[in-house]
C-alpha cells in the first residue's frame, strides 16, 4: 500500500469534500492510502506548504481569498509558490474560470499536471484525472484542450503584453488608463494595438472588432 | 413695443411736416411780396440812371425807389437796396440823401452782422466826409472800412481804403503816413493785379515825393504809374495827368524846358478840350506859367486868359484862383503892379471865400511880394495862417495816429480773438480725438469682453459636456460595479456551490434500477448545464466592451429620451456603423448635442409632430446629422429665423459645417447638418 500526502486548497468546504470523496474512491480502487489536509485560503495554503516536508498532490482552486499581506492574490500565485517550494509536487488545478486568457496564463505559470474546469468535470472525469496524474500522464479538461488546439491552429505570434492589452480592452479599460496597468507608454500601446489589428486583419478603427476577434481566436 | 414706437415716430414726423408746410405757405406770401417790391425798386433805380433824364427826374425816381425800399421787411434785401440807392445818390451828388440812406444801410448791416456791407457803408461815409472836407471823420471811416475788408480778406477794397486814407494824409501833408499807406495799398493791388489802382497809387506817390522835394523818386514813380497805364483799356485822360504831374515836378526843379515839353505833350492829346475842358484849362495854365517862369512871355497872357475863361465857365473855383495868381505873377513880371495887385487881392478873397488855405497862403505870399507897402502885414498874415494850418495839420495827424493806434488795439484784440479761436479749435479737436479714442478703446474692450465671454461660453459648454461624460461614467461605473458584483456572486459563490452539490451527488452511489440510474445521470448533466449557463451569464455580465454601447451615443440617447418623453412624441434614433465617436472631437460632439437639444425644443414648440428621427452617419470625413419631424412645417423663406435656428446656424458655422433646412406641411421639416471631422485627432482622443 502506497501512502500519499494530499493538500486540498479550496475555499468551498463542500468542494473540498468532493475531492475527498474522489480520493477515497481512488484509494479503494488502487490500494493507495491518502493523508489528506484541507485549507481554504491563500494564507493557510502557504503555511501548509511551508510546514510540509513533502506533498505529493495538491488540489488547487484559483479563485481564493487573497492573503492578508496581499502577496498572494489568487490560487495562481499559490501554485507558483508550490512549484518553487516543492518542485516534485503534482498539481491539479481545478477552477471555474474558463476564459482563454486566464487559462493560458495558468498553463504558462503553473503548468499543472491536471487542469480541470469545474464545469466540465463529473465524477468519472475527476477520478480519471487523479488516476492519470498518479500514473504520470497529464489530464486536461476539454475546454483547455480546445484552447490548446486553437492555439496550435493559429500561428499568430501574440506575446504576454499583447494578451494583456487585449484582455484589458475586453474588460473596458480606457486607453488613458492602459499605461497604468500595462508596462508600456501610450505610444507603445498604440503601436501594439495597430500591429494586433494587422495580425487579426481588422480594418475597423474601433477596438470592438479587435476584441471580438481575439476572443474568437481564443486569446482572451 | 416696436409698433408703438413706429406709430409715435410717424405722428411726430407728420406734425413736423405740417408745421414746415404752414411755415412755407406763410413765407411764400411774404416772399412773393418782397420779390415784387424788389423788382419795382430795381426798375426805379434803373430809371434814375437813364442818361437822357434831367437831374430832378433822376432824383425823383431814386426817391421812389427809396420809398419802396422802406416797406421791405426782409432786412438783408432792404440793406442791399439801400446801398444801391445810396451809391446812386452819390452819383447824383445828392449828398444828404447819400448820407441818410447809407446810415440806414449801416444800421441794418450791423444788425445782420454783414461785414462786407458794413465795410461798404464805412467806405461811403469816408467818401461823404471827404466831400464835406471833414477829413478826420473821412479818415476814420476809411480806416474802419479798411479793417472790415481786411477781416474778410477783400484785398482789393482794403487797398482802395488805404489809398483813400493816403489821399487824405497827402492833403494834410502827412507825407510819411501817406507813403506808408500807399506802399501797403500797392502790395495789395499787386496781389489782385489792379493796374488802375496801382497807377493811381504810383501817381500819388510821385506827387508826395514832389512835395517832399525828392524829385528823382517823384519822376521814377510817375514813370511806374505810366507802366501800369499800359494795361488799362480805358485810359481816359490819365496819361495827360501824369505828363502834367511830371511837368510840375520838373518845374519845381526849375527845369522849365523839360516841364514845357511834357505839358506840350499833354496838351497835344487828341480832342483834349472835348474830353476834359477842365484839364485842358489846367494844362494850358500850367504851360503858360512854366513858360513865364522860363522867361518866355510870348502869348503867355493870352494863354492864361483863355484858361481863366474856360475855368470861369466851368466854375472851377480852385482853378480860377490859381489862374488869377499866375496872371498876377505875369503882371508883376511885366511891372504892371496895379493889375497884379488887384488880381492877387481878388484871388486872396476868392481863396478865403472857398476857405482854400493853400491858395490863401499862395495869394498872401504873392501879395507880400507885390504890395510893397503892406508887405510885412501880408507876410505876418501868411505866417499866422501857416502856423494855424500847421497846428491844425499836426492836430489831425495826431488824430490819425490815434485812429491807427485804436485800430492796432483792435487788431490786437482780433489777434487775441483769433488765437483764442485757434486755442478753442485745438482744444475741441483734442477733446474730440480723446473722446473718439475713448470710444474706440471702450468698443475694443467690449469686443474683447465679448470674445472672452464667447470663449468662456465654449469652455462652459465643454465643461458641461465633461460633466455629462463624468455623470455618465459614474452611472456606468455604478452599473458596472453592480454587474461585476452579481457576476462574481454567480461565478464564485453559486457556481461553486452548485458544482460541489453536483459532484457530491455524483459520488453518492445511488442504488436502483436502470430507469432511476438514467434519471439520476440526466439530472446530474442537467445541473452541469445550469452551471454552464450561469457561467455564461456571469461572463456576459462582466464583459464590458461587447455588452455596453459607447458613451456619446448613450448620452444623446438619454437626451432624446428625456426630451421626447416630456414633449410626448416618439423617436427613432440611430447611429450608423460608420460613426466612431472616438475619432470625433469633443467640440463637435458637444455642439451636436446642443443642436439636437435646440432642434427638439423647436419641434416641441412649433411643429406639432408625433415622431422625430435623428440619424448620425459619417461619409468621407464628414459627420452628417439628420433631424426630421413629421410636423406641420413652416415657410423657410418667409419666416424670420428664430433664436433656435440662429443658434444652430451659429454653432455649425463655428465648426465650419453646413446647414440645410427643408420644410413642407406634408413632409414636415428636415434639418441636415454636415460637419467636417478632423482626421488628425484620431490618436489624440481617448477611446470611449
Amino acid at each position: 500500500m502506497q501512502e500519499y500526502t494530499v493538500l486540498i486548497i479550496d475555499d468551498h468546504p463542500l468542494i473540498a469534500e468532493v475531492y475527498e470523496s474522489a480520493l477515497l474512491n481512488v484509494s479503494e480502487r488502487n490500494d493507495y492510502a491518502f493523508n489528506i489536509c484541507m485549507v481554504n485560503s491563500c494564507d493557510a495554503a502557504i503555511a501548509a506548504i511551508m510546514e510540509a516536508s513533502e506533498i505529493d498532490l495538491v488540489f488547487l482552486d484559483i479563485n481564493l481569498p487573497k492573503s492578508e499581506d496581499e502577496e498572494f492574490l489568487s490560487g495562481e500565485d499559490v501554485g507558483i509558490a508550490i512549484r518553487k517550494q516543492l518542485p516534485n509536487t503534482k498539481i491539479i488545478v481545478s477552477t471555474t474560470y474558463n476564459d482563454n486568457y486566464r487559462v493560458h496564463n495558468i498553463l504558462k505559470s503553473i503548468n499543472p499536471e491536471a487542469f480541470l474546469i469545474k464545469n466540465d468535470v463529473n465524477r468519472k472525469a475527476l477520478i480519471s484525472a487523479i488516476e492519470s496524474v498518479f500514473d504520470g500522464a497529464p489530464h486536461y479538461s476539454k475546454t483547455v484542450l480546445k484552447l490548446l488546439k486553437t492555439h496550435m491552429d493559429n500561428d499568430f505570434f501574440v506575446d504576454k503584453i499583447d494578451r494583456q492589452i487585449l484582455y484589458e480592452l475586453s474588460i473596458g479599460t480606457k486607453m488613458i488608463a492602459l499605461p497604468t496597468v500595462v508596462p508600456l507608454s501610450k505610444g507603445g500601446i498604440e503601436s501594439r494595438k495597430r500591429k494586433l489589428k494587422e495580425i487579426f486583419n481588422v480594418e475597423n478603427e474601433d477596438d470592438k472588432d479587435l476584441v471580438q476577434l481575439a476572443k474568437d481566436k481564443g486569446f482572451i | 413695443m416696436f409698433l408703438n414706437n413706429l406709430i409715435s415716430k410717424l405722428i411726430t414726423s407728420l406734425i413736423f411736416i405740417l408745421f414746415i408746410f404752414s411755415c412755407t405757405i406763410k413765407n411764400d406770401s411774404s416772399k412773393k411780396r418782397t420779390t415784387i417790391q424788389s423788382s419795382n425798386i430795381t426798375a426805379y433805380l434803373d430809371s434814375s440812371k437813364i442818361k437822357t433824364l434831367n437831374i430832378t427826374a433822376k432824383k425823383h425816381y431814386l426817391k421812389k425807389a427809396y420809398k419802396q425800399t422802406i416797406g421791405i421787411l426782409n432786412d438783408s434785401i432792404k440793406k442791399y437796396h439801400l446801398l444801391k440807392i445810396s451809391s446812386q445818390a452819390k452819383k447824383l451828388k445828392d449828398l444828404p440823401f447819400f448820407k441818410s440812406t447809407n446810415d440806414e444801410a449801416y444800421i441794418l448791416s450791423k444788425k445782420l452782422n454783414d461785414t462786407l456791407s458794413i465795410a461798404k457803408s464805412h467806405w461811403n461815409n469816408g467818401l461823404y466826409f471827404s466831400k464835406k472836407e471833414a477829413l478826420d471823420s473821412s479818415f476814420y471811416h476809411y480806416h474802419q472800412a479798411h479793417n472790415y475788408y481786411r477781416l474778410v480778406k477783400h484785398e482789393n477794397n482794403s487797398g482802395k481804403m488805404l489809398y483813400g486814407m493816403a489821399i487824405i494824409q497827402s492833403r494834410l501833408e502827412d507825407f510819411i503816413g501817406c507813403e506808408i499807406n500807399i506802399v501797403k495799398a500797392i502790395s495789395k493791388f499787386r496781389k489782385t493785379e489792379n493796374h488802375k489802382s496801382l497807377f493811381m497809387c504810383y501817381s500819388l506817390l510821385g506827387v508826395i515825393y514832389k512835395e517832399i522835394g525828392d524829385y528823382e523818386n517823384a519822376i521814377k514813380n510817375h514813370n511806374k504809374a505810366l507802366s501800369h497805364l499800359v494795361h488799362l483799356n480805358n485810359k481816359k485822360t490819365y496819361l495827360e495827368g501824369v505828363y502834367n504831374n511830371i511837368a510840375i515836378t520838373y518845374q519845381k526843379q526849375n527845369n522849365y524846358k523839360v516841364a514845357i515839353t511834357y505839358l506840350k505833350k499833354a496838351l497835344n492829346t487828341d480832342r483834349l478840350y472835348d474830353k476834359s475842358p477842365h484839364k485842358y484849362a489846367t494844362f494850358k495854365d500850367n504851360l503858360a506859367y512854366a513858360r513865364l517862369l522860363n522867361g518866355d512871355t510870348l502869348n503867355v497872357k493870352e494863354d492864361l486868359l483863355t484858361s481863366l475863361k474856360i475855368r470861369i465857365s466851368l466854375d472851377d473855383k480852385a482853378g480860377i484862383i490859381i489862374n488869377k495868381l499866375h496872371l498876377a505873377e505875369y503882371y508883376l513880371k511885366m511891372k504892371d503892379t496895379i493889375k497884379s495887385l488887384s488880381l492877387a487881392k481878388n484871388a486872396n478873397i476868392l481863396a478865403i471865400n472857398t476857405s482854400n488855405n493853400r491858395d490863401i497862403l499862395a495869394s498872401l505870399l504873392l501879395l507880400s511880394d507885390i504890395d510893397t507897402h503892406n508887405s510885412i502885414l501880408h507876410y505876418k498874415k501868411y505866417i499866422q495862417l501857416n502856423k494855424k494850418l500847421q497846428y491844425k495839420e499836426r492836430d489831425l495827424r495826431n488824430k490819425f495816429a490815434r485812429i491807427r493806434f485804436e485800430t492796432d488795439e483792435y487788431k490786437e484784440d482780433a489777434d487775441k480773438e483769433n488765437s483764442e479761436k485757434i486755442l478753442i479749435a485745438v482744444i475741441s479737436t483734442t477733446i474730440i480725438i480723446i473722446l473718439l479714442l475713448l470710444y474706440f478703446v471702450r468698443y475694443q474692450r467690449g469686443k474683447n469682453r465679448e470674445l472672452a465671454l464667447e470663449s468662456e461660453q465654449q469652455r462652459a459648454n465643454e465643461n458641461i459636456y465633461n460633466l455629462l461624460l463624468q455623470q455618465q461614467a459614474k452611472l456606468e461605473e455604478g452599473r458596472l460595479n453592480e454587474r461585476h458584483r452579481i457576476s462574481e456572486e454567480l461565478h464564485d459563490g453559486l457556481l461553486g456551490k452548485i458544482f460541489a452539490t453536483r459532484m457530491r451527488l455524483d459520488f453518492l452511489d445511488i442504488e436502483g434500477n436502470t430507469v432511476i440510474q438514467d434519471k439520476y445521470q440526466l439530472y446530474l448533466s442537467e445541473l452541469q448545464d445550469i452551471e454552464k449557463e450561469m457561467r455564461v451569464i456571469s461572463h456576459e455580465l462582466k464583459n464590458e466592451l461587447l455588452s455596453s454601447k459607447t458613451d456619446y451615443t448613450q448620452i444623446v440617447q438619454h437626451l432624446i429620451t428625456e426630451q421626447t418623453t416630456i414633449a410626448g412624441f416618439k423617436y427613432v434614433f440611430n447611429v450608423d456603423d460608420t460613426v466612431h465617436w472616438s475619432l470625433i472631437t469633443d467640440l463637435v460632439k458637444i455642439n451636436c448635442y446642443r443642436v439636437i437639444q435646440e432642434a427638439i425644443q423647436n419641434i416641441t414648440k412649433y411643429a406639432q409632430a408625433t415622431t422625430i428621427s435623428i440619424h448620425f452617419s459619417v461619409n468621407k470625413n464628414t459627420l452628417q446629422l439628420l433631424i426630421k419631424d413629421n410636423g406641420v412645417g413652416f415657410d423657410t423663406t418667409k419666416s424670420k429665423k428664430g433664436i433656435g435656428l440662429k443658434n444652430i446656424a451659429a454653432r455649425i458655422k463655428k465648426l465650419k459645417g453646413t446647414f440645410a433646412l427643408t420644410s413642407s406641411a406634408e413632409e414636415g421639416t428636415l434639418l441636415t447638418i454636415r460637419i467636417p471631422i478632423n482626421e488628425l485627432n484620431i490618436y489624440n482622443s481617448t477611446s470611449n
Side-chain angles (χ1 to χ4, degrees):
Chain A
M1 175 130 64
Q2 198 141 5
E3 210 175 283
Y4 295 104
T5 314
V6 179
L7 177 64
I8 297 172
I9 308 169
D10 203 308
D11 57 336
H12 280 290
L14 291 177
I15 295 175
E17 266 182 46
V18 170
Y19 297 147
E20 206 180 359
S21 307
L23 285 171
L24 205 68
N25 195 292
V26 172
S27 71
E28 277 168 12
R29 285 157 43 133
N30 294 301
D31 192 28
Y32 296 152
F34 293 108
N35 181 13
I36 299 168
C37 174
M38 285 191 275
V39 290
N40 60 1
S41 72
C42 285
D43 285 322
I46 295 303
I49 294 160
M50 294 305 163
E51 273 171 28
S53 55
E54 212 195 327
I55 295 170
D56 297 296
L57 181 66
V58 173
F59 278 93
L60 180 62
D61 188 14
I62 295 301
N63 186 28
L64 288 172
K66 50 189 164 191
S67 65
E68 265 169 38
D69 57 2
E70 300 217 340
E71 202 190 329
F72 301 95
L73 297 176
S74 69
E76 192 175 346
D77 294 330
V78 175
I80 293 165
I82 295 166
R83 277 278 180 259
K84 210 172 151 194
Q85 191 72 23
L86 308 161
N88 297 322
T89 306
K90 291 179 167 41
I91 297 173
I92 297 174
V93 169
S94 172
T95 176
T96 42
Y97 291 126
N98 71 339
D99 63 284
N100 294 331
Y101 179 69
R102 291 298 290 270
V103 171
H104 181 88
N105 279 354
I106 292 162
L107 280 172
K108 272 272 151 76
S109 59
I110 304 173
N111 195 19
E113 276 67 22
F115 200 143
L116 304 176
I117 304 299
K118 283 181 180 161
N119 192 228
D120 295 342
V121 173
N122 53 22
R123 171 186 166 146
K124 219 194 260 170
L126 185 57
I127 290 165
S128 79
I130 295 167
E131 281 175 351
S132 63
V133 167
F134 280 117
D135 288 345
H139 183 99
Y140 299 136
S141 280
K142 57 185 175 193
T143 309
V144 181
L145 284 173
K146 212 167 100 193
L147 171 73
L148 286 173
K149 188 176 179 297
T150 345
H151 274 228
M152 278 152 78
D153 287 348
N154 295 306
D155 51 357
F156 299 144
F157 182 77
V158 178
D159 69 7
K160 193 182 162 203
I161 290 169
D162 290 336
R163 276 169 201 284
Q164 198 178 354
I165 291 168
L166 288 171
Y167 174 71
E168 294 294 341
L169 286 175
S170 79
I171 60 167
T173 309
K174 300 215 159 125
M175 267 308 285
I176 300 176
L178 267 183
T180 60
V181 281
V182 180
L184 274 178
S185 70
K186 198 181 166 194
I189 293 166
E190 288 288 359
S191 86
R192 270 183 186 264
K193 227 165 84 179
R194 273 200 298 281
K195 226 152 85 194
L196 282 171
K197 277 176 186 169
E198 263 171 50
I199 291 168
F200 286 107
N201 201 20
V202 179
E203 277 170 12
N204 205 317
E205 292 287 358
D206 215 2
D207 298 334
K208 204 167 155 181
D209 293 356
L210 176 65
V211 172
Q212 184 63 59
L213 210 67
K215 190 162 264 187
D216 292 346
K217 299 279 186 197
F219 288 92
I220 46 176
Chain B
M1 190 63 189
F2 173 72
L3 207 67
N4 272 349
N5 255 340
L6 195 77
I7 288 168
S8 69
K9 267 185 196 166
L10 257 174
I11 288 170
T12 25
S13 51
L14 259 176
I15 289 169
F16 188 64
I17 288 165
L18 274 174
F19 176 71
I20 286 180
F21 198 63
S22 65
C23 281
T24 36
I25 289 169
K26 231 193 245 169
N27 272 350
D28 263 6
S29 68
S30 73
K31 224 180 228 171
K32 230 176 244 170
R33 214 172 61 216
T34 313
T35 328
I36 293 165
Q37 278 173 329
S38 283
S39 63
N40 279 346
I41 292 161
T42 318
Y44 284 132
L45 260 173
D46 286 344
S47 307
S48 80
K49 282 176 191 167
I50 296 167
K51 279 179 183 165
T52 50
L53 288 174
N54 65 18
I55 191 91
T56 7
K58 283 180 184 174
K59 279 185 182 171
H60 172 73
Y61 280 123
L62 195 59
K63 288 262 153 76
K64 274 198 160 175
Y66 175 69
K67 264 181 202 161
Q68 286 282 336
T69 310
I70 295 300
I72 290 176
L73 294 169
N74 186 322
D75 282 346
S76 87
I77 294 170
K78 193 172 172 182
K79 173 217 75 192
Y80 169 80
H81 287 299
L82 277 172
L83 278 175
K84 288 250 164 189
I85 291 166
S86 172
S87 292
Q88 186 58 20
K90 191 195 84 191
K91 273 181 197 155
L92 298 178
K93 297 205 168 56
D94 187 348
L95 285 183
F97 190 48
F98 168 52
K99 173 74 174 147
S100 67
T101 46
N102 185 52
D103 284 350
E104 278 183 56
Y106 176 71
I107 290 162
L108 285 176
S109 306
K110 268 279 179 190
K111 200 165 130 194
L112 293 166
N113 209 5
D114 177 350
T115 313
L116 265 178
S117 299
I118 292 170
K120 176 72 187 162
S121 284
H122 276 300
W123 184 354
N124 282 345
N125 266 331
L127 284 171
Y128 172 78
F129 284 116
S130 117
K131 293 261 184 218
K132 284 278 175 190
E133 294 289 330
L135 296 182
D136 51 343
S137 298
S138 175
F139 185 85
Y140 168 77
H141 284 292
Y142 279 138
H143 212 280
Q144 289 292 334
H146 165 67
N147 284 336
Y148 281 113
Y149 278 128
R150 209 182 42 179
L151 206 66
V152 292
K153 298 216 158 61
H154 199 309
E155 298 284 353
N156 202 37
N157 281 359
S158 86
K160 278 182 178 173
M161 295 307 100
L162 284 168
Y163 178 76
M165 288 190 281
I167 289 269
I168 292 169
Q169 282 168 316
S170 83
R171 276 175 73 181
L172 294 170
E173 301 191 352
D174 175 8
F175 296 122
I176 297 167
C178 174
E179 193 185 348
I180 291 167
N181 277 339
I182 290 196
V183 170
K184 275 193 209 161
I186 285 173
S187 78
K188 292 196 186 250
F189 292 135
R190 277 239 178 89
K191 272 187 223 160
T192 58
E193 291 187 20
N194 184 341
H195 292 296
K196 188 180 160 189
S197 293
L198 280 169
F199 161 75
M200 298 205 319
C201 283
Y202 283 118
S203 291
L204 185 58
L205 259 185
V207 171
I208 64 162
Y209 279 131
K210 181 200 79 186
E211 297 290 336
I212 293 166
D214 186 351
Y215 302 114
E216 217 170 290
N217 265 328
I219 305 274
K220 215 185 262 175
N221 278 299
H222 281 307
N223 283 328
K224 268 190 192 164
L226 280 177
S227 77
H228 282 290
L229 208 49
V230 179
H231 299 287
L232 291 184
N233 292 326
N234 182 8
K235 291 189 176 73
K236 289 190 181 166
T237 52
Y238 294 142
L239 186 64
E240 300 78 57
V242 177
Y243 288 153
N244 182 45
N245 283 340
I246 293 171
I248 286 169
T249 313
Y250 280 117
Q251 189 182 303
K252 285 269 178 189
Q253 279 180 294
N254 298 331
N255 195 343
Y256 304 119
K257 276 182 186 159
V258 185
I260 289 164
T261 36
Y262 270 104
L263 282 167
K264 276 183 177 163
K265 252 192 195 171
L267 268 174
N268 271 343
T269 315
D270 196 28
R271 288 167 48 233
L272 178 64
Y273 183 81
D274 294 339
K275 274 197 257 174
S276 172
H278 181 272
K279 277 202 172 132
Y280 178 81
T282 311
F283 297 164
K284 195 124 190 152
D285 174 30
N286 283 347
L287 178 60
Y289 185 62
R291 277 168 58 210
L292 176 68
L293 290 174
N294 201 25
D296 176 11
T297 52
L298 186 69
N299 285 338
V300 167
K301 187 184 141 194
E302 285 75 20
D303 285 350
L304 285 175
L305 284 171
T306 326
S307 162
L308 182 61
K309 219 182 266 173
I310 297 166
R311 277 171 161 170
I312 287 166
S313 78
L314 291 173
D315 195 26
D316 175 5
K317 279 172 185 142
I320 292 166
I321 296 164
I322 290 166
N323 224 150
K324 283 193 172 171
L325 285 173
H326 285 167
L327 262 174
E329 264 189 64
Y330 171 78
Y331 285 120
L332 185 65
K333 207 160 198 182
M334 292 292 122
K335 312 280 187 211
D336 188 346
T337 326
I338 300 155
K339 265 195 181 168
S340 173
L341 189 63
S342 85
L343 273 166
K345 275 190 175 166
N346 192 300
N348 182 250
I349 291 159
L350 268 174
I352 290 166
N353 282 348
T354 53
S355 54
N356 187 333
N357 291 326
R358 191 186 66 182
D359 290 341
I360 295 172
L361 284 176
S363 63
L364 282 174
L365 205 58
L366 192 59
L367 275 172
S368 74
D369 273 355
I370 304 163
D371 192 355
T372 40
H373 304 290
N374 296 320
S375 177
I376 293 167
L377 185 78
H378 287 305
Y379 200 66
K380 263 189 185 167
K381 266 192 192 168
Y382 171 80
I383 288 168
Q384 220 174 359
L385 181 62
N386 203 16
K387 239 182 205 166
K388 199 178 118 195
L389 284 177
Q390 271 175 358
Y391 279 132
K392 201 178 159 194
E393 278 168 13
R394 201 178 298 152
D395 195 37
L396 276 171
R397 260 179 260 165
N398 287 343
K399 226 175 199 174
F400 295 164
R402 264 203 303 282
I403 291 169
R404 263 206 306 273
F405 176 69
E406 276 162 21
T407 317
D408 286 347
E409 269 190 342
Y410 165 84
K411 228 193 284 171
E412 256 172 39
D413 280 354
D415 284 351
K416 217 171 161 188
E417 216 171 282
N418 254 348
S419 60
E420 266 171 23
K421 270 182 194 164
I422 289 168
L423 199 69
I424 288 167
V426 167
I427 289 171
S428 51
T429 324
T430 325
I431 288 170
I432 287 169
I433 288 168
I434 288 169
L435 284 176
L436 276 174
L437 274 173
L438 278 176
Y439 173 76
F440 194 69
V441 166
R442 242 186 105 102
Y443 176 77
Q444 274 296 330
R445 212 178 279 168
K447 209 154 196 203
N448 284 345
R449 212 177 295 148
E450 210 171 277
L451 280 175
L453 273 176
E454 213 166 272
S455 63
E456 210 169 282
Q457 171 89 29
Q458 195 163 319
R459 232 176 301 139
N461 270 345
E462 264 160 48
N463 281 344
I464 289 170
Y465 179 70
N466 282 335
L467 279 175
L468 273 172
L469 278 184
Q470 276 173 21
Q471 177 73 13
Q472 200 63 34
K474 260 185 201 161
L475 273 173
E476 192 71 0
E477 205 184 307
R479 200 171 57 85
L480 274 182
N481 283 343
E482 194 54 24
R483 285 168 67 132
H484 272 269
R485 198 183 64 77
I486 296 166
S487 164
E488 304 265 304
E489 205 76 7
L490 281 177
H491 195 269
D492 300 344
L494 291 178
L495 205 57
K497 280 179 188 155
I498 294 173
F499 167 69
T501 313
R502 174 169 64 82
M503 288 305 279
R504 274 149 61 104
L505 274 175
D506 210 350
F507 278 99
L508 279 180
D509 289 319
I510 297 287
E511 305 275 328
N513 55 30
T514 48
V515 179
I516 290 170
Q517 283 285 343
D518 281 353
K519 273 198 177 167
Y520 171 65
Q521 282 305 320
L522 188 71
Y523 293 149
L524 277 180
S525 65
E526 197 82 0
L527 267 175
Q528 204 171 358
D529 284 344
I530 290 168
E531 268 175 69
K532 258 182 207 163
E533 257 174 58
M534 220 147 133
R535 193 161 44 193
V536 169
I537 290 166
S538 158
H539 271 273
E540 275 181 1
L541 280 172
K542 233 180 184 177
N543 203 328
E544 189 44 37
L545 194 73
L546 301 177
S547 63
S548 75
K549 282 177 185 168
T550 47
D551 283 347
Y552 184 72
T553 308
Q554 248 173 328
I555 289 170
V556 174
Q557 176 98 38
H558 183 74
L559 168 79
I560 299 167
T561 317
E562 205 171 74
Q563 300 244 342
T564 49
T565 315
I566 294 164
F569 44 72
K570 284 183 220 155
Y571 72 89
V572 180
F573 174 56
N574 51 57
V575 178
D576 215 278
D577 282 344
T578 51
V579 182
H580 304 296
W581 292 118
S582 59
L583 309 182
I584 294 164
T585 59
D586 283 354
L587 195 64
V588 172
K589 281 191 265 195
I590 179 66
N591 277 299
C592 283
Y593 181 89
R594 291 282 178 223
V595 165
I596 292 168
Q597 199 174 23
E598 205 84 68
I600 295 177
Q601 267 172 21
N602 270 0
I603 293 164
T604 314
K605 276 188 207 161
Y606 309 112
Q608 298 162 30
T610 56
T611 309
I612 62 164
S613 87
I614 291 167
H615 181 79
F616 275 111
S617 62
V618 168
N619 186 20
K620 287 177 193 164
N621 280 327
T622 306
L623 175 69
Q624 183 177 264
L625 166 62
L626 299 175
I627 302 170
K628 195 175 170 351
D629 68 61
N630 64 349
V632 291
F634 64 96
D635 191 341
T636 51
T637 54
K638 269 185 190 168
S639 157
K640 56 177 190 281
K641 282 184 179 179
I643 303 267
L645 276 178
K646 261 186 198 163
N647 279 349
I648 292 174
R651 281 177 193 285
I652 303 309
K653 202 179 159 193
K654 250 185 229 167
L655 300 172
K656 297 189 172 68
T658 57
F659 161 84
L661 189 69
T662 54
S663 184
S664 69
E666 299 81 36
E667 288 176 38
T669 306
L670 172 65
L671 190 62
T672 311
I673 288 159
R674 287 193 183 85
I675 301 165
I677 45 177
N678 196 349
E679 238 182 329
L680 293 173
N681 287 330
I682 292 172
Y683 293 109
N684 293 335
S685 65
T686 57
S687 55
N688 37 357

